[in-house]
Structure formats: structure tokens, C-alpha cells
Amino acid sequence: MKKADLPEAFVNRVSTDSFLGTALLDALNEDQPIAVRINSLKGASVFNELERIPWSKNGFYLKERPVFTLDPHFHGGRYYPQEAGSQFIDSILHQLQLPEDPIILDLCAAPGGKSTLIADFLAGKGLLLANEVIQSRSRILKENLTKWGAKNTLVSNNDPADFEALSNTFDCILIDAPCSGEGMFRKDPDARNEWSEESVNLCAARQKRIIMDIWNSLKLNGYLIYSTCTFNEQENEANVRWVLDQTDSELVSTEIPQAKAGRNGIGHYALPSELKTEGFYVAVIRKREEERVQKNKPKKKISLTRIKPENWLEKWAHTDQSEFLQWNTFLFAIPAGKPDLVENLHLQLRIIKLGTELGEISRKGLIPNEALALGNELLSDQIPDIPLSRKEALHYLKGETFNLPGKQGFHTVSFEGTKLGWIKHLGNRFNNLYPKEWRIRMRID
């Protein structure tokens, strides 16, 4: 399908901007590079002999775009398709002077590429809260983080203004701000039709509001990572300068291999005319001002109960290095030492993913949740697993049933070592417990 022409006003601006150059216009009409990031929390790469992305520890370019839907490893969270420029965040995180167990907020997180990157960076330490204001997108974010398998992740569905209630909470906040999307012109043809100068103005104003909404929740000496997928100065360097003028903060110097330094040295760009990327901008600000500590009344009564691990639980999950919370009839595992923080977040926000959901407690015992099957190093070795062929795995992911040898009871199923989910074997058949909303809908034969 032929792409729509680039917006005339955009072409005129880029043509007169020596920083960007007209080569950018040509690059935006070329084929996009395909990149993935490997989930180091789940073992070795499922790809061989790929070109590495210089600024991302686990990032690689693919020679061509596969049908990800037809790869069981993709559904099992062994990797995530993520645009190479946005993986600048990996290089930046490794340069920040964060505490050993940092508390990180990814504010505008859906669909989850940068959240899974942060989870990979944390490697089980600290805590990540990934937030998305749009409810439908927050469910996709939850799915992708669940498949990634990191226990130290939460997902919330809140407006940025709701975080004003969480004073002095986060060591680092990533704001991948909603923007005019100029960097998406090659990847998403619809972005060309939606762009306008008015959109640029509206986005720049909204970005300022978002930053100020969450500023008080950033700790003293904490880091704000600000990024967009656009090229214009108004949404990028000018907004960073505005934050520096409005607050007691400082620009943090970082180095990103092969990136282009921003205008006046403010931040870095991935330009499609210079790198195998889409468009991306990122800058880092460090907070220096004293905190405005405010006391906030809980928005709801606490409904979390701390559970001491009992013998029956060890059948399902490794209980060391974890603490357990019950929310109504559901049981969750979170990192050890984090209940107070998690309970406070649960009080103030609409949490839709709470660590790793183990399952629902019923009269007959635990009904396991898919998150337990996909969780890294949490699933008990006592749980039997049934390896599937590629064809069987795809039919399982469609929600189908078929003949499968096995004993009665709950089993995980896997493909080439990648856990996919649960079945309940009935002896001569099995119930497919793969979540309906995750199931493959395309033809697989």
C-alpha cells in the first residue's frame, strides 16, 4: 500500500532545519528496520547470528519481519519486538546512579516495550510500576508484562494527576510522552494524516502538564527520563528547558553510542537518516529541590492481606525471596521487603497487575493463573510440564484442545523450553486454560 505524502508543513520545516536535514525526508519513505529485544530473564536467545544494536544490551536487528503471531516463543515472552531507537533507554539506565533496589515509574507505558526493558534492567531487584491512562491499552500492558514474567512489576490504570498523592516515591520516572508522532511517519502511515502544527502545539502543552503532575512523586536527586518519538524542538529541547526553568533541577549528561546530540547539547536523537531506527528523542533531568511532603488520605479501604507461605503453597511456587498478598480470593507474589510500598500504591492507585498472580483460592485448592506459569524462577519444580510441538503449541495458543498424553491434574505446557500456560488434564482430554483475550485469532494451518 502506497504511503500518504509527508505533510507539507512538516516537509517545509525539516527542509529549513539544518539540524535535521533533508536526508531525513528521504529516510522516512524507506523500509523500516525490524528490531527485537531478548528477555534475559528467561534464558538464552531464541535467535542466532543477529546484528546487535550498539546501545542496547539485549537488542538485535532481524533480517526480515517474521509473523510474530505464529512464533510460540513470542507468546511465551522470550523476546519483545521493539523499535531500536526506543532502546536508547537501556543505555541511559545503565549510566544513572540509582540505588541498589530502585523504585521506577513508567508513566505512559503501553504497550509495554520500555516497561519490559526496565524489568530486564532491574533483573529482579527494586520495583517497577507501569502505568497507562487508557483502560484498553492498560490491559495490553498487563498482558505483555505478565508474559515477560518479572515478579517485581505492577501495572496501574491512572491519570498522571493521580500521582500527586505519592510524594517522594520514585527514584526514576520515565515519561515517554504522548507526542505528534513525527518519528512514526515511516512505521505508521496513519501518523502522517493525523499530524498538524496544531497537534504539535497541543502535545507540547500536554507534555508540560504531565511532567508537573508527577514531579512531586519523584524523590530528591531522582531522575526524570523524558522521551518522545518526534523531531521538533518545541516538544523536545524546548520542553526540557522549560522544566529546568520551572524547577530546581539539572540536565544530566549521558552518552549513547552513535546517537546524535540534541540541539544545544540537550538530549539525544535517533534519526532514521543516520541510524537503523525510527525517530526518537530522549533527555535526562535530575531533581535537586526539597520535597513538598503532603499527607493524603487513602482513596479506598485496604483490602490486601499478608499471607505466610504454608506447605501447600510450596507445591505451586518457590516461596523464598517472595512475600505473598491476598486480594479478595486471589493470591499474589511480590518481592521480599516490598509489602508496605505495594500496599500504599494499591491504596492510592487503580492497580490491575500486582506482582505475579499465583491464582484464585477455591474450596478445592488453588486454581493457577497464567502469570505463575510464565513467571521467571517462581514456578515450583513439582509442577509437571508437557512439551508441545510447534503445531500443538499454536493450536493451544488458539484455545483449542487435542489428544495429549498425561495424568489428571494441572500441567504447564511449553515449546522448546518456553512456558506457554496451563491446562487441566482430565485423563482422556484436557481443558485449555489459556486466557481467551490472549488467544491467536488468525489461521495457523
Side-chain angles (χ1 to χ4, degrees), residues 227-238:
S227 67
T228 72
C229 58
T230 203
F231 303 117
N232 67 78
E233 184 174 5
Q234 187 174 350
E235 295 179 73
N236 295 338
E237 294 93 339

Side-chain angles (χ1 to χ4, degrees), residues 272-286:
S273 53
E274 300 183 10
L275 299 175
K276 293 172 62 175
T277 66
E278 302 306 312
F280 190 72
Y281 172 80
V282 63
V284 183
I285 297 170
R286 189 168 190 171

Side-chain angles (χ1 to χ4, degrees), residues 64-114:
E64 58 184 5
R65 185 180 185 88
V67 182
F68 292 116
T69 303
L70 298 182
D71 184 0
H73 290 303
F74 166 69
H75 295 276
R78 289 293 294 276
Y79 65 90
Y80 190 92
Q82 184 179 13
E83 194 280 308
S86 68
Q87 296 186 47
F88 275 4
I89 301 299
D90 185 64
S91 180
I92 285 176
L93 286 170
H94 282 91
Q95 296 177 60
L96 303 184
Q97 297 178 355
L98 293 168
E100 184 176 356
D101 292 306
I103 311 303
I104 300 180
L105 168 64
D106 185 358
L107 184 67
C108 310
K114 297 177 186 67

Side-chain angles (χ1 to χ4, degrees), residues 19-39:
F19 176 80
L20 297 175
T22 55
L24 175 63
L25 302 176
D26 295 331
L28 291 175
N29 286 315
E30 296 172 354
D31 293 334
Q32 66 178 110
I34 307 300
V36 297
R37 191 171 34 76
I38 305 303
N39 187 345

Side-chain angles (χ1 to χ4, degrees), residues 48-340:
N48 296 313
E49 299 180 359
L50 296 182
E51 178 186 353
R52 286 188 171 272
I53 297 174
W55 49 83
S56 178
K57 182 179 179 182
N58 297 306
F60 297 86
Y61 291 106
L62 300 184
K63 294 180 180 179
E64 58 184 5
R65 185 180 185 88
V67 182
F68 292 116
T69 303
L70 298 182
D71 184 0
H73 290 303
F74 166 69
H75 295 276
R78 289 293 294 276
Y79 65 90
Y80 190 92
Q82 184 179 13
E83 194 280 308
S86 68
Q87 296 186 47
F88 275 4
I89 301 299
D90 185 64
S91 180
I92 285 176
L93 286 170
H94 282 91
Q95 296 177 60
L96 303 184
Q97 297 178 355
L98 293 168
E100 184 176 356
D101 292 306
I103 311 303
I104 300 180
L105 168 64
D106 185 358
L107 184 67
C108 310
K114 297 177 186 67
S115 293
T116 58
L117 186 154
I118 296 170
D120 210 52
F121 164 77
L122 289 173
K125 296 182 178 180
L127 195 74
L128 166 65
L129 173 62
N131 178 74
E132 172 56 45
V133 63
I134 300 173
Q135 188 174 46
S136 60
R137 286 171 55 83
S138 71
R139 290 194 291 267
I140 296 171
L141 174 63
K142 177 184 177 181
E143 174 184 342
N144 287 327
L145 270 176
T146 299
K147 291 178 176 178
W148 202 252
K151 176 177 59 179
N152 58 334
T153 60
L154 282 69
V155 174
S156 58
N157 173 215
N158 286 83
D159 187 272
D162 296 335
F163 287 83
E164 291 180 343
L166 293 164
S167 302
N168 192 32
T169 299
F170 302 103
D171 299 292
C172 179
I173 298 177
L174 168 62
I175 301 179
D176 187 38
C179 68
S180 59
E182 297 165 357
M184 304 290 286
F185 283 174
R186 176 167 60 181
K187 181 179 179 181
D188 181 9
D190 290 339
R192 302 181 180 210
N193 297 323
E194 296 169 359
W195 184 91
S196 67
E197 293 284 10
E198 181 183 6
S199 173
V200 171
N201 296 332
L202 291 173
C203 287
R206 179 170 57 175
Q207 290 152 2
K208 292 175 182 176
R209 177 187 65 80
I210 290 173
I211 293 170
M212 289 299 100
D213 280 345
I214 58 85
W215 186 254
N216 196 45
S217 65
L218 184 63
K219 291 181 181 178
L220 178 66
N221 294 319
Y223 297 96
L224 172 66
I225 304 175
Y226 175 77
S227 67
T228 72
C229 58
T230 203
F231 303 117
N232 67 78
E233 184 174 5
Q234 187 174 350
E235 295 179 73
N236 295 338
E237 294 93 339
N239 266 355
V240 173
R241 288 195 300 268
W242 181 85
V243 175
L244 296 173
D245 290 340
Q246 296 293 316
T247 64
D248 184 4
S249 58
E250 61 184 356
L251 186 68
V252 177
S253 176
T254 58
E255 296 182 2
I256 303 175
Q258 302 182 20
K260 182 180 180 68
R263 300 169 179 90
N264 298 313
I266 301 176
H268 289 90
Y269 279 89
L271 296 181
S273 53
E274 300 183 10
L275 299 175
K276 293 172 62 175
T277 66
E278 302 306 312
F280 190 72
Y281 172 80
V282 63
V284 183
I285 297 170
R286 189 168 190 171
K287 184 176 184 178
R288 298 188 303 190
E289 66 185 8
E290 293 296 331
E291 304 303 320
R292 303 190 313 274
V293 178
Q294 59 187 56
K295 294 183 179 180
N296 297 280
K297 294 182 179 180
K299 295 183 179 180
K300 54 189 174 184
K301 293 182 179 179
I302 188 166
S303 58
L304 296 177
T305 304
R306 300 188 191 189
I307 302 295
K308 292 183 179 180
E310 300 177 0
N311 292 338
W312 69 268
L313 184 55
E314 294 178 355
K315 170 191 172 182
W316 295 98
H318 295 295
T319 57
D320 57 328
Q321 306 300 316
S322 298
E323 298 194 43
F324 299 91
L325 300 174
Q326 185 172 337
W327 185 3
N328 297 323
T329 58
F330 300 95
L331 187 63
F332 301 84
I334 62 170
K338 296 295 187 291
D340 290 341

